[in-house]
Each structure stands twice: as C-alpha cells, then as structure tokens.
Amino acid sequence: MDYLLFIGLLSSAIAMRWIVARYPYSGYNKPPMFGDFEAQRHWMEVTVNLPINEWYQNSSSNNLTYWGLDYPLLTAYHAYICGWISNKINPTWCALKESHGHESSSHKLFMRYTVFIADLLIYYPAVFYVYRSDVLNKNVATKKLTVLLTNLFYPLLILIDHGHFQYNSISLGLALIAFVMATQSNSFLTSAFFFTLSLNYKQMELYHAVPIFVYLLSAYCFEQRKIKLKAFLSLGTIVILTFFIIWVPVLQHDPIAVLKRLFPFERGLYEDKVANFWCTINLVVKLRSKFTHEALAKICLLTTSLSILPSCLMLFRRPTFNVSLCFYLFSFQVHEKTILLPCLPLMLLTATYPIECFSFLQFSMISVFPLMIKDDLVLIFWLTFIGFSILALQRIYVHLNQVSLFQLFFSILCITATLPLLIAAIYIQPPSRYPDLWVVLISVCSCIYFLIILVQFHIYQFKETTFKQNPIKKTN
C-alpha cells in the first residue's frame, strides 16, 4: 500500500472517531446509574482501590448492584492500568465511592483518549495485519481495499466504542489477529494464544470460540483422519497456560465468584429488546412466564448447539460468521451490542459477498437504533449510516461482476422498508397500549433479516465445502 494512502486512511479513521467522541455517551447526566461510561469508570475505581480478591465480590466497599465488574480478568487488568493513570492525573476521578457519577470535561477527555489508545495499540494494527496477510482475497488489490475500508470505517463499532462508550476494539482486534493466524500453517499456536486473550477480555468471544476451536483442531491436530497427539497437546498447553497466567491471581481466592459474575443467568433470557429469536418469539409465546431461568438456559443451550452444528460439520476457511450469528440469535442473555460479534468475520467477506455483507452491516446498525436514541446519538448515527451506505454502493460498483441484481434489489427493499420505523421511533408517539411498538418492530424486522442471511450463508458454506478444498496445508 502507498504510504500516503495508508496515512490518509488512518487519519480519516481517527478523525471519524474523534467526531463521534464529541457527542454524548451512555448515561450522560442520567443519575442514579448513569450508564456504560460510568460502568467503565467505576471498574477503574474498584480495581485501583480494592485488592484483587474483592473485585468481583459484594462488600461494603464494592456494591455489585452498582455496575459490579462482570467482564473477565483482562478487562479488570485493563481497568486497573487506566485507573492507575487516572489516579495519578486526578485522584478525584477514581476516589472510592465519592467519584460515582463523575462527569467533568477533563475526565471525559481522559476516558475518550483511553479508547483511542486501545484502537491505536490493538485494533488498527490488527486491521492492517489482515490487509497485509491477504487471508481471503487472493492478492486482488480492489478486494483487499474493500476489506480494509470496511474494517476501518464500520460505523457501529465506532458508535458503540467512541459514542456509547466501550472497549470492544480490544477483544475484536485480538480476535481478528487470531482469525488470520488460524489460516497460516505456522501460526496455529499463536492464533490460539491471541484468541485466548480475546476471550479473557470479553466472555462474548465465546461466539467465535467454537469455530476457532474446531478449525484449529481440524487444521493442526488431525492428519488423514488421525489425531496428532503432540500437536493436540501443544495446542491445549498454550490455551491452558494462557488461562492459568491470567487467572492465577484469583485462583487462590474464589474463582467461582468470578464465573458467576461473568455468566449471570439470574438476569433472565434477555433484558432490553434485542433483534434475536427469543425476543421476537416472546411476542407470541411469553417464554419468561412459562419457563424458569434454568429451563430457558437449557433450551437456549440446546437450540444454539443444534443451530451451530451444520456450520461446524461443514467447517472451512470462513466459518465464524454462521456460528457467531447463531449464538446471537439463539443463546441466553444476549445484548443488542453483541451484534458486533457476527459482524467481525462478516467484514472480512465484504469483497467476496458484497451485497449480503454490506446490507447485513447496515441492518446491524438498524437493530441498535433504539440504543442510539437512548444515548442521544441519533444525528451522528444518521451521518455515519449515510456515509457508510455511500461507501457500500461504491464498493459494490467496484465488485459489480460478483453482484446478483435480485440480491441487490432485495437488500435495498429490506433496508428502505425498515427506515420508516426509525423515523417513526423519533417523531411519532406510539399508542399508549404499546409504548415499545417501534422498538419491537425494529427488532423483529432485524431478526427476520438476520435469519434470512443465516440461511443464505449456510448455503454458501455448503457450496464452499462441497466444491472447494481447504486452502490450509496440514503441518507435518
């Protein structure tokens, strides 16, 4: 890549994020709980002021009902580093209990910078590593550029991390590196290491864990249908050793308490309206009144396992989208923001299936529109949505020889038919009997579209598995 183009794209990506960061964040000026911004700040407060054995434990100093830490230990360590720096700059930003709801402009700027640094250190290098590795696009410059542009300028990741306020770029960046390394015969163990880091930053990376595990097992540990014991043991050792090093500080205390925080089944099937199967079917069958939490968790486990089975059996070089979308649609306790998980592998396929991928990425934005309203991010949502739509049309034109006119028409029809619901959600008061009407309709339409794409990509995967050989050579 030309260095001027590289600098220009990187500068534009940073500028886009900076513009989004000028807008409000989750929970801005909304006591008593504020929002995700306060959750991230509070985790810095807890990790800096309390010993590690109290980070996940309820106590007089750590009230878990007030944004208790519920992400894995790498998130906690990251919060500690940011909190340590924050405490050095201004101790009032992380003062135990006294800093709850702190919203000074200087602290907001500090918090925004922490997300920028996460992008610079992890996500941008991961994206350019994908570009240089050419994992999917056979050294075709236009295809490589499409994947690069999509990963750099996908608005939903930017809106959630730099607007709503989270650090998804860290776990997603680590997962991206793992995806690419999994396609290289001399990097299987390194892939396992990076994915283990990603999983220990956010437990939602379980969406990608099954296909990564199956793929590494197939590509690295089996040869001519026989298991290579040495390879299998080395792969297991890397994963177990990485987990052990990360978890050793809590193993001597109460690791079960940490696991309970990471998987809070008592919260129920779902919380807010989500564009997944269970939230949609609940309109017809009131699941939470008919089944206990435990029964619903078992039903979700069974349904998710059955839905990912075909993809795992047909495992090939691009399996993760189907499996991660199955997790989003059918698993237990799904949040609207976890749509980012199936979007990650899909961004790698935008040059291969441009219509399907770009329309799905647009629908993923549509599915979280109610969250944008809640966070006062509607204006910047529309600006980025329109900008991304223009980018999508330009890249579709570049890859016009791969485009089905029917698929193009269908995608445009689905998106344009749904956009009036977004406008109605802003300007039209729903009937008093159905106060969540627009939110529910947005979720249902998005869910139906996701199910259609899921079927479509299973067909694509079946064709790939049937007619193409796996490009990864087995290691000796």
Side-chain angles (χ1 to χ4, degrees):
M1 178 190 289
D2 182 84
Y3 282 106
L4 288 177
L5 177 60
F6 170 83
I7 294 171
L9 289 177
L10 185 59
S11 301
S12 300
I14 293 172
M16 183 176 176
R17 285 158 173 79
W18 187 253
I19 291 170
V20 172
R22 302 284 293 177
Y23 282 78
Y25 48 78
S26 170
Y28 174 68
N29 200 25
K30 294 178 181 177
M33 293 298 290
F34 298 93
D36 272 23
F37 181 93
E38 170 64 7
Q40 304 291 339
R41 187 215 59 78
H42 179 62
W43 296 348
M44 298 178 194
E45 169 196 341
V46 168
T47 54
V48 165
N49 289 287
L50 299 177
I52 193 169
N53 61 298
E54 293 186 34
W55 288 0
Y56 294 88
Q57 296 276 11
N58 193 61
S59 67
S60 58
S61 301
N62 185 22
N63 181 4
L64 292 181
T65 63
Y66 185 81
W67 296 118
L69 187 57
D70 56 3
Y71 279 2
L73 283 159
L74 278 187
T75 290
Y77 299 152
H78 176 227
Y80 175 81
I81 294 170
C82 293
W84 183 85
I85 298 171
S86 170
N87 197 50
K88 293 294 182 182
I89 297 172
N90 189 334
T92 63
W93 293 351
C94 286
L96 189 62
K97 293 186 179 180
E98 296 176 3
S99 59
H100 287 192
H102 188 92
E103 291 186 312
S104 67
S105 57
S106 56
H107 181 253
K108 175 184 175 181
L109 186 62
F110 167 79
M111 294 289 281
R112 293 298 197 191
Y113 272 127
T114 62
V115 187
F116 277 98
I117 292 170
D119 278 357
L120 287 170
L121 293 181
I122 297 178
Y123 189 72
Y124 294 147
V127 169
F128 283 103
Y129 178 58
V130 170
Y131 177 85
R132 291 185 62 84
S133 69
D134 191 50
V135 60
L136 295 169
N137 297 300
K138 300 178 182 178
N139 291 314
V140 179
T142 53
K143 291 186 175 183
K144 293 175 67 175
L145 183 60
T146 297
V147 173
L148 178 64
L149 291 172
T150 308
N151 278 275
L152 283 179
F153 297 103
Y154 175 48
L156 186 55
L157 177 58
I158 299 172
L159 288 168
I160 290 178
D161 275 16
H162 295 269
H164 176 83
F165 200 88
Q166 285 190 347
Y167 298 97
N168 293 287
S169 61
I170 295 178
S171 58
L172 296 180
L174 293 170
L176 262 182
I177 296 171
F179 292 168
V180 175
M181 288 185 169
T183 65
Q184 301 170 0
S185 60
N186 60 344
S187 300
F188 292 133
L189 296 180
T190 315
S191 172
F193 169 73
F194 274 100
F195 187 77
T196 305
L197 293 181
S198 176
L199 182 58
N200 276 280
Y201 191 87
K202 282 203 173 184
Q203 66 270 40
M204 291 180 295
E205 279 298 328
L206 284 168
Y207 283 31
H208 298 141
V210 173
I212 281 285
F213 170 76
V214 173
Y215 185 75
L216 289 177
L217 197 64
S218 171
Y220 183 61
C221 300
F222 279 85
E223 188 171 29
Q224 296 178 347
R225 297 186 178 182
K226 293 182 179 180
I227 189 168
K228 297 186 291 182
L229 185 60
K230 183 178 178 181
F232 178 78
L233 291 176
S234 61
L235 189 65
T237 300
I238 286 291
V239 173
I240 293 171
L241 186 60
T242 307
F243 262 100
F244 177 78
I245 292 172
I246 293 170
W247 280 71
V248 69
V250 300
L251 291 178
Q252 57 186 321
H253 301 296
D254 190 0
I256 302 301
V258 180
L259 291 173
K260 287 180 178 179
R261 291 297 302 164
L262 300 186
F263 302 101
F265 291 108
E266 68 278 0
R267 291 185 185 177
L269 185 59
Y270 59 85
E271 293 178 19
D272 294 328
K273 302 295 185 297
V274 183
N276 77 341
F277 177 79
W278 304 117
C279 192
T280 300
I281 201 174
N282 193 69
L283 297 173
V284 180
V285 181
K286 300 303 177 183
L287 299 170
R288 290 184 289 190
S289 62
K290 291 181 177 293
F291 301 96
T292 64
H293 289 343
E294 292 76 12
L296 286 172
K298 292 176 182 178
I299 292 171
C300 290
L301 176 62
L302 177 62
T303 308
T304 305
S305 301
L306 291 174
S307 68
I308 68 175
L309 187 59
S311 245
C312 290
L313 292 175
M314 298 186 295
L315 196 58
F316 74 116
R317 70 175 181 266
R318 296 186 292 264
T320 43
F321 168 67
N322 287 343
V323 176
S324 54
L325 183 56
C326 286
F327 269 94
Y328 174 82
L329 288 169
F330 301 114
S331 59
F332 190 86
Q333 189 55 229
V334 172
H335 294 272
E336 67 270 66
K337 298 181 286 294
T338 54
I339 191 61
L340 287 171
L341 277 297
C343 286
L344 181 67
L346 201 69
M347 286 190 283
L348 300 177
L349 297 173
T350 48
T352 308
Y353 305 109
I355 293 293
E356 298 89 332
C357 293
F358 278 116
S359 59
F360 183 93
L361 293 173
Q362 288 174 296
F363 250 100
S364 69
M365 294 184 67
I366 290 171
S367 72
V368 301
F369 187 70
L371 180 66
M372 299 296 104
I373 297 176
K374 188 185 299 184
D375 291 346
D376 296 325
L377 295 171
V378 172
L379 177 59
I380 193 64
F381 170 90
W382 283 115
L383 292 175
T384 54
F385 183 86
I386 292 170
F388 187 71
S389 299
I390 294 171
L391 172 65
L393 289 173
Q394 192 273 332
R395 300 319 295 175
I396 288 170
Y397 178 78
V398 169
H399 305 295
L400 202 57
N401 61 326
Q402 298 172 243
V403 171
S404 159
L405 290 179
F406 172 79
Q407 186 70 44
L408 178 62
F409 174 77
F410 175 75
S411 299
I412 293 174
L413 179 64
C414 289
I415 293 171
T416 53
T418 310
L419 291 180
L421 293 176
L422 309 191
I423 298 172
I426 303 171
Y427 297 109
I428 301 177
Q429 185 71 26
S432 56
R433 187 178 176 184
Y434 304 107
D436 297 325
L437 176 64
W438 307 126
V439 175
V440 169
L441 288 177
I442 291 169
S443 296
V444 170
C445 290
S446 300
C447 178
I448 292 172
Y449 185 81
F450 294 158
L451 287 167
I452 292 171
I453 290 294
L454 182 64
V455 172
Q456 197 166 359
F457 269 81
H458 269 87
I459 295 171
Y460 292 160
Q461 186 180 5
F462 175 77
K463 290 180 179 178
E464 289 280 351
T465 306
T466 304
F467 299 112
K468 291 187 180 181
Q469 294 182 347
N470 195 316
I472 305 303
K473 295 180 180 180
K474 305 287 185 179
T475 54
N476 295 322

